[in-house]
């Protein structure tokens, strides 16, 4: 059978859909599907909102093979459904890593391109698509090979799957010296200290954990983690614990989170420390708890992620104040510095500070999200569509000024809008100007 | 995600001929063998797909992996496979995943299809295995894995032609085991229940569907422990025990 009906959800589990899903196992069947019944592709559905929801879709999870790897040059060709975490685990011992890794190793090559994902090294390496040499799209007219100089590449990079399923891609890997991470952790007293340290850091990988429950003078306090790949021996990452059921509401209630965050901060001594960690633990800290999204209970959660220009620290402060006083914050909040954008119209990363925070879907979450979205727009920033569940169409259109031109080009290729996802519809991303 | 943590070299020095290597179960077994450092000959009809699998297996650590053409209905494709296996060093092993299951209604409408089902599921693979057997006998070692089916344990109205072909294959495997055990070889008969493959995707009435990786892991375990007949997942042994125990006067009236 080609189609199976399944309930699917974004990673935040707030938005859900019933979908007819095809799951090709071979390039041949994927191509035939794309020719006879064009539908968007879905990977491992790690987007938080509705970017990974559609009525009809093609799952790429069985298109998961590495087609070529040159250990001399570090060029790798993979099918669209290959997970970056699998690549990292197999490549690091050979001295290579995927050039850009998002916070979960379950992200697929196709998803990494469609969201133009960024990692802890964006300030040096740019986003994922900067390292793509070639990709193959499945289209109704047959497979189309796209290189970065083709205008279709810019439409596809961060293009939310709207140019068709990515059958395979060739990426340039990053050379690394070993397969462990040397991580220096330092406490940051407040937001300004944090932003200054992020600006000054020249470590290859930099990320900040922020205590989103702190208010007053401690607002914006947290831990700066600077990492580099090193040689060494550490016990292998422990994998595979599973959250067996939806956690009760109090598990991540405000007092619990406040206590947890304070303890988490004190874990790092005041003078800082350097630790050695398995690569997977550093890049994908939550992946070792399978289905960790169930910790937020059956109502699920939202993730808000924005980037604001470097001169908008005031806006960041105002957002953190709102988050801190809303009593909704989760333990997971991240502050990072992004480097210059790649210029692809729908690609998220642009120069600035990016703040990401999980918000349990409880009373008040919608109001808080609306305020954060508005504050982002006002600061001249943008929200990451792979995370979004709450923008308005008008806000999205203003945040991505290249959208209308992009929509026109994408619509010309797919006039029936067969590749539209729930996110694209909700935000009317393919509406002509 | 599956990392290479469990990688060991316990299959190093083994060469495996995999027939019907494009199936989801065969892919999973080939990858598990690649993780252990085996050399692989991946045989089937979809050249592109087999080439992709071969590349993936090399990336995972297979000592070697190559795609070869094999069509269960074309005896001319047999000799090159066996010659290739003969040239490989170390032990020669084979795993059969081939088979075809057209809907019973189509077969009822066109009984000529029966010959194809028998060729894909029984006579085609058996002709290869009967040529591999002397290799195993000559070297005094080697394992054959044959994937039969729970459908072969009792003829049912829904798929009895497929079931009959798989039953014939299971009987063939039983005899082959009897033959090879005299020279140090071994045959594992595998009877999978419902497995999550393209064949079962979206079919109504599926329950307790096993991922192909779990099936592959149980096959490898059975190979290492020299098991004779395994059901996978294991509980199908008991389900089929019950189904086989139903007296024929009652069974013939059931539609299960």
């Amino acid at each position: 059978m080609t189609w199976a009906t399944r309930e699917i959800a974004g990673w935040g589990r707030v938005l859900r859909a019933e979908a007819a899903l095809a799951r090709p196992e071979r390039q041949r069947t994927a191509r035939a599907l794309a020719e006879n019944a064009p539908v968007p592709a879905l990977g491992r559905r790690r987007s938080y909102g509705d970017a990974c929801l559609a009525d009809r879709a093609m799952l790429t999870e069985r298109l998961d093979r590495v087609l070529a790897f040159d250990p001399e040059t570090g060029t790798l060709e993979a099918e669209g459904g290959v997970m970056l975490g699998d690549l990292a685990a197999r490549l690091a011992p050979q001295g290579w890593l995927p050039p850009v890794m998002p916070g979960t190793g379950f992200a697929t090559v196709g998803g990494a391109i469609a969201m133009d994902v960024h990692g802890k090294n964006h300030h040096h390496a740019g986003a994922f698509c900067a390292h793509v040499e070639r990709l193959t799209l499945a289209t109704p007219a047959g497979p189309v090979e796209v290189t970065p100089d083709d205008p279709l590449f810019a439409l596809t990079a961060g293009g939310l799957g709207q140019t068709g399923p990515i059958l395979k891609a060739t990426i340039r890997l990053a050379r690394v010296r070993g397969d462990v991470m040397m991580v220096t952790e330092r406490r940051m007293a407040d937001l300004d200290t944090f932003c200054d340290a992020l600006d000054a850091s020249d470590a290859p990988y930099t990320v900040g954990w922020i205590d989103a429950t702190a208010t007053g003078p401690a607002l914006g306090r947290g831990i700066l983690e600077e990492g580099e790949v090193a040689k060494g021996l550490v016990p292998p990452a422990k994998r595979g614990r599973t959250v067996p059921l939806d956690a009760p509401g109090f598990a991540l209630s405000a007092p619990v989170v406040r206590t947890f965050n304070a303890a988490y901060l004190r874990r790092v001594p005041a003078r800082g420390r350097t630790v050695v960690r398995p690569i997977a633990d550093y890049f994908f800290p939550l992946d070792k708890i399978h289905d960790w999204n169930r910790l937020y209970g059956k109502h699920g959660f939202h993730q808000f992620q924005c980037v604001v220009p470097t001169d908008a620290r005031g806006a960041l402060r105002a957002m953190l104040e709102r988050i801190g006083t809303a009593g909704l914050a989760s333990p997971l909040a991240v502050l990072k510095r992004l480097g210059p954008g790649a210029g692809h119209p729908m690609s998220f990363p642009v120069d600035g500070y990016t703040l990401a925070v999980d918000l349990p879907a409880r009373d008040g979450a919608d109001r808080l999200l609306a305020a954060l979205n508005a504050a982002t727009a006002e600061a001249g920033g943008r929200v990451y569509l792979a995370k979004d569940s709450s923008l308005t169409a008008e806000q999205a259109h203003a945040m991505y000024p290249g959208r209308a031109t992009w929509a026109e080009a994408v619509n010309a290729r797919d006039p029936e809008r067969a590749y539209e996802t729930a996110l694209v519809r909700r935000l009317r991303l393919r509406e002509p100007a | 995600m599956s990392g290479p943590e469990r990688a060991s070299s316990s299959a190093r020095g083994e060469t495996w001929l995999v027939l019907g290597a494009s199936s989801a179960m065969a892919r999973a077994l080939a990858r598990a063998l690649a993780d252990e450092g085996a050399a692989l000959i991946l045989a089937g009809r979809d050249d592109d797909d087999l080439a992709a699998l071969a590349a993936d297996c090399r990336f995972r650590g297979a000592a070697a992996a190559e795609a070869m053409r094999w069509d269960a209905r074309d005896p001319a494709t047999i000799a090159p496979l066996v010659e290739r296996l003969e040239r490989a060093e170390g032990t020669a092993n084979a795993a059969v995943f081939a088979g075809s299951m057209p809907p019973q209604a189509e077969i009822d409408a066109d009984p000529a299809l029966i010959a194809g089902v028998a060729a894909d599921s029984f006579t085609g693979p058996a002709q290869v295995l009967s040529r591999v057997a002397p290799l195993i006998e000559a070297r005094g070692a080697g394992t054959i894995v044959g994937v039969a089916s729970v459908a072969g344990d009792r003829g049912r109205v829904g798929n009895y032609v497929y079931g009959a072909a798989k039953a014939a294959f299971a009987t063939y495997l039983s005899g082959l085991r009897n033959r090879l055990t005299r020279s140090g070889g071994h045959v594992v008969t595998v009877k999978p229940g419902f497995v999550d493959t393209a064949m079962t995707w979206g079919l109504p009435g599926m329950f307790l569907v096993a991922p192909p990786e779990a099936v592959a892991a149980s096959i490898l375990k059975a190979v290492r422990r020299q098991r004779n007949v395994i059901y996978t997942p294991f509980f199908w042994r008991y389900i089929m025990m019950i189904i086989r125990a139903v007296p024929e006067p009652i069974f013939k009236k059931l539609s299960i």
Side-chain angles (χ1 to χ4, degrees), chain A residues 33-44:
Chain A
L33 185 69
E35 284 160 25
N36 302 320
V39 289
L42 302 181
R44 295 285 175 153

mmCIF file with all atom_site columns, all heavy atoms in Angstrom, chain A residues 33-44:
data_model
loop_
_atom_site.group_PDB
_atom_site.id
_atom_site.type_symbol
_atom_site.label_atom_id
_atom_site.label_alt_id
_atom_site.label_comp_id
_atom_site.label_asym_id
_atom_site.label_entity_id
_atom_site.label_seq_id
_atom_site.pdbx_PDB_ins_code
_atom_site.Cartn_x
_atom_site.Cartn_y
_atom_site.Cartn_z
_atom_site.occupancy
_atom_site.B_iso_or_equiv
_atom_site.pdbx_formal_charge
_atom_site.auth_seq_id
_atom_site.auth_comp_id
_atom_site.auth_asym_id
_atom_site.auth_atom_id
_atom_site.pdbx_PDB_model_num
ATOM 1  N N   . LEU A 1 33 ? 6.535  8.436  -6.753  1.00 0.00 ? 33 LEU A N   1
ATOM 2  C CA  . LEU A 1 33 ? 5.545  9.135  -5.941  1.00 0.00 ? 33 LEU A CA  1
ATOM 3  C C   . LEU A 1 33 ? 5.539  10.620 -6.285  1.00 0.00 ? 33 LEU A C   1
ATOM 4  O O   . LEU A 1 33 ? 4.489  11.236 -6.463  1.00 0.00 ? 33 LEU A O   1
ATOM 5  C CB  . LEU A 1 33 ? 5.876  8.924  -4.460  1.00 0.00 ? 33 LEU A CB  1
ATOM 6  C CG  . LEU A 1 33 ? 4.886  9.480  -3.454  1.00 0.00 ? 33 LEU A CG  1
ATOM 7  C CD1 . LEU A 1 33 ? 3.591  8.688  -3.501  1.00 0.00 ? 33 LEU A CD1 1
ATOM 8  C CD2 . LEU A 1 33 ? 5.478  9.425  -2.052  1.00 0.00 ? 33 LEU A CD2 1
ATOM 9  N N   . ALA A 1 34 ? 6.730  11.198 -6.381  1.00 0.00 ? 34 ALA A N   1
ATOM 10 C CA  . ALA A 1 34 ? 6.841  12.629 -6.673  1.00 0.00 ? 34 ALA A CA  1
ATOM 11 C C   . ALA A 1 34 ? 6.257  12.956 -8.044  1.00 0.00 ? 34 ALA A C   1
ATOM 12 O O   . ALA A 1 34 ? 5.746  14.052 -8.267  1.00 0.00 ? 34 ALA A O   1
ATOM 13 C CB  . ALA A 1 34 ? 8.300  13.061 -6.612  1.00 0.00 ? 34 ALA A CB  1
ATOM 14 N N   . GLU A 1 35 ? 6.315  11.988 -8.952  1.00 0.00 ? 35 GLU A N   1
ATOM 15 C CA  . GLU A 1 35 ? 5.794  12.243 -10.290 1.00 0.00 ? 35 GLU A CA  1
ATOM 16 C C   . GLU A 1 35 ? 4.280  12.074 -10.348 1.00 0.00 ? 35 GLU A C   1
ATOM 17 O O   . GLU A 1 35 ? 3.583  12.830 -11.014 1.00 0.00 ? 35 GLU A O   1
ATOM 18 C CB  . GLU A 1 35 ? 6.492  11.314 -11.303 1.00 0.00 ? 35 GLU A CB  1
ATOM 19 C CG  . GLU A 1 35 ? 7.908  11.795 -11.608 1.00 0.00 ? 35 GLU A CG  1
ATOM 20 C CD  . GLU A 1 35 ? 8.818  10.727 -12.205 1.00 0.00 ? 35 GLU A CD  1
ATOM 21 O OE1 . GLU A 1 35 ? 8.294  9.781  -12.827 1.00 0.00 ? 35 GLU A OE1 1
ATOM 22 O OE2 . GLU A 1 35 ? 10.056 10.860 -12.036 1.00 0.00 ? 35 GLU A OE2 1
ATOM 23 N N   . ASN A 1 36 ? 3.764  11.105 -9.603  1.00 0.00 ? 36 ASN A N   1
ATOM 24 C CA  . ASN A 1 36 ? 2.328  10.816 -9.702  1.00 0.00 ? 36 ASN A CA  1
ATOM 25 C C   . ASN A 1 36 ? 1.482  11.538 -8.670  1.00 0.00 ? 36 ASN A C   1
ATOM 26 O O   . ASN A 1 36 ? 0.333  11.858 -8.934  1.00 0.00 ? 36 ASN A O   1
ATOM 27 C CB  . ASN A 1 36 ? 2.100  9.306  -9.566  1.00 0.00 ? 36 ASN A CB  1
ATOM 28 C CG  . ASN A 1 36 ? 2.857  8.542  -10.622 1.00 0.00 ? 36 ASN A CG  1
ATOM 29 O OD1 . ASN A 1 36 ? 2.919  8.982  -11.769 1.00 0.00 ? 36 ASN A OD1 1
ATOM 30 N ND2 . ASN A 1 36 ? 3.449  7.432  -10.239 1.00 0.00 ? 36 ASN A ND2 1
ATOM 31 N N   . ALA A 1 37 ? 2.020  11.763 -7.501  1.00 0.00 ? 37 ALA A N   1
ATOM 32 C CA  . ALA A 1 37 ? 1.247  12.392 -6.423  1.00 0.00 ? 37 ALA A CA  1
ATOM 33 C C   . ALA A 1 37 ? 2.159  13.290 -5.605  1.00 0.00 ? 37 ALA A C   1
ATOM 34 O O   . ALA A 1 37 ? 2.594  12.916 -4.526  1.00 0.00 ? 37 ALA A O   1
ATOM 35 C CB  . ALA A 1 37 ? 0.626  11.315 -5.534  1.00 0.00 ? 37 ALA A CB  1
ATOM 36 N N   . PRO A 1 38 ? 2.525  14.469 -6.131  1.00 0.00 ? 38 PRO A N   1
ATOM 37 C CA  . PRO A 1 38 ? 3.469  15.315 -5.398  1.00 0.00 ? 38 PRO A CA  1
ATOM 38 C C   . PRO A 1 38 ? 2.929  15.733 -4.032  1.00 0.00 ? 38 PRO A C   1
ATOM 39 O O   . PRO A 1 38 ? 1.796  16.201 -3.927  1.00 0.00 ? 38 PRO A O   1
ATOM 40 C CB  . PRO A 1 38 ? 3.664  16.528 -6.314  1.00 0.00 ? 38 PRO A CB  1
ATOM 41 C CG  . PRO A 1 38 ? 2.609  16.452 -7.357  1.00 0.00 ? 38 PRO A CG  1
ATOM 42 C CD  . PRO A 1 38 ? 2.113  15.049 -7.415  1.00 0.00 ? 38 PRO A CD  1
ATOM 43 N N   . VAL A 1 39 ? 3.723  15.496 -3.012  1.00 0.00 ? 39 VAL A N   1
ATOM 44 C CA  . VAL A 1 39 ? 3.373  15.861 -1.636  1.00 0.00 ? 39 VAL A CA  1
ATOM 45 C C   . VAL A 1 39 ? 4.650  16.359 -0.962  1.00 0.00 ? 39 VAL A C   1
ATOM 46 O O   . VAL A 1 39 ? 5.748  16.063 -1.433  1.00 0.00 ? 39 VAL A O   1
ATOM 47 C CB  . VAL A 1 39 ? 2.823  14.653 -0.837  1.00 0.00 ? 39 VAL A CB  1
ATOM 48 C CG1 . VAL A 1 39 ? 1.442  14.257 -1.324  1.00 0.00 ? 39 VAL A CG1 1
ATOM 49 C CG2 . VAL A 1 39 ? 3.777  13.471 -0.905  1.00 0.00 ? 39 VAL A CG2 1
ATOM 50 N N   . PRO A 1 40 ? 4.523  17.112 0.134   1.00 0.00 ? 40 PRO A N   1
ATOM 51 C CA  . PRO A 1 40 ? 5.739  17.541 0.830   1.00 0.00 ? 40 PRO A CA  1
ATOM 52 C C   . PRO A 1 40 ? 6.426  16.368 1.517   1.00 0.00 ? 40 PRO A C   1
ATOM 53 O O   . PRO A 1 40 ? 5.786  15.361 1.813   1.00 0.00 ? 40 PRO A O   1
ATOM 54 C CB  . PRO A 1 40 ? 5.228  18.549 1.867   1.00 0.00 ? 40 PRO A CB  1
ATOM 55 C CG  . PRO A 1 40 ? 3.792  18.223 2.046   1.00 0.00 ? 40 PRO A CG  1
ATOM 56 C CD  . PRO A 1 40 ? 3.301  17.639 0.760   1.00 0.00 ? 40 PRO A CD  1
ATOM 57 N N   . ALA A 1 41 ? 7.705  16.518 1.772   1.00 0.00 ? 41 ALA A N   1
ATOM 58 C CA  . ALA A 1 41 ? 8.467  15.499 2.482   1.00 0.00 ? 41 ALA A CA  1
ATOM 59 C C   . ALA A 1 41 ? 8.509  15.836 3.966   1.00 0.00 ? 41 ALA A C   1
ATOM 60 O O   . ALA A 1 41 ? 8.591  17.000 4.336   1.00 0.00 ? 41 ALA A O   1
ATOM 61 C CB  . ALA A 1 41 ? 9.885  15.423 1.920   1.00 0.00 ? 41 ALA A CB  1
ATOM 62 N N   . LEU A 1 42 ? 8.444  14.808 4.807   1.00 0.00 ? 42 LEU A N   1
ATOM 63 C CA  . LEU A 1 42 ? 8.628  14.992 6.249   1.00 0.00 ? 42 LEU A CA  1
ATOM 64 C C   . LEU A 1 42 ? 9.770  14.092 6.691   1.00 0.00 ? 42 LEU A C   1
ATOM 65 O O   . LEU A 1 42 ? 9.870  12.955 6.254   1.00 0.00 ? 42 LEU A O   1
ATOM 66 C CB  . LEU A 1 42 ? 7.364  14.604 7.022   1.00 0.00 ? 42 LEU A CB  1
ATOM 67 C CG  . LEU A 1 42 ? 6.066  15.333 6.684   1.00 0.00 ? 42 LEU A CG  1
ATOM 68 C CD1 . LEU A 1 42 ? 4.947  14.826 7.585   1.00 0.00 ? 42 LEU A CD1 1
ATOM 69 C CD2 . LEU A 1 42 ? 6.226  16.840 6.845   1.00 0.00 ? 42 LEU A CD2 1
ATOM 70 N N   . GLY A 1 43 ? 10.630 14.618 7.567   1.00 0.00 ? 43 GLY A N   1
ATOM 71 C CA  . GLY A 1 43 ? 11.735 13.819 8.070   1.00 0.00 ? 43 GLY A CA  1
ATOM 72 C C   . GLY A 1 43 ? 11.355 13.176 9.385   1.00 0.00 ? 43 GLY A C   1
ATOM 73 O O   . GLY A 1 43 ? 10.383 12.427 9.476   1.00 0.00 ? 43 GLY A O   1
ATOM 74 N N   . ARG A 1 44 ? 12.097 13.494 10.444  1.00 0.00 ? 44 ARG A N   1
ATOM 75 C CA  . ARG A 1 44 ? 11.819 12.886 11.748  1.00 0.00 ? 44 ARG A CA  1
ATOM 76 C C   . ARG A 1 44 ? 10.934 13.778 12.610  1.00 0.00 ? 44 ARG A C   1
ATOM 77 O O   . ARG A 1 44 ? 10.785 13.552 13.807  1.00 0.00 ? 44 ARG A O   1
ATOM 78 C CB  . ARG A 1 44 ? 13.144 12.596 12.468  1.00 0.00 ? 44 ARG A CB  1
ATOM 79 C CG  . ARG A 1 44 ? 13.963 11.551 11.742  1.00 0.00 ? 44 ARG A CG  1
ATOM 80 C CD  . ARG A 1 44 ? 13.374 10.169 11.965  1.00 0.00 ? 44 ARG A CD  1
ATOM 81 N NE  . ARG A 1 44 ? 14.068 9.161  11.178  1.00 0.00 ? 44 ARG A NE  1
ATOM 82 C CZ  . ARG A 1 44 ? 14.141 7.879  11.519  1.00 0.00 ? 44 ARG A CZ  1
ATOM 83 N NH1 . ARG A 1 44 ? 13.592 7.461  12.628  1.00 0.00 ? 44 ARG A NH1 1
ATOM 84 N NH2 . ARG A 1 44 ? 14.756 7.028  10.748  1.00 0.00 ? 44 ARG A NH2 1
#
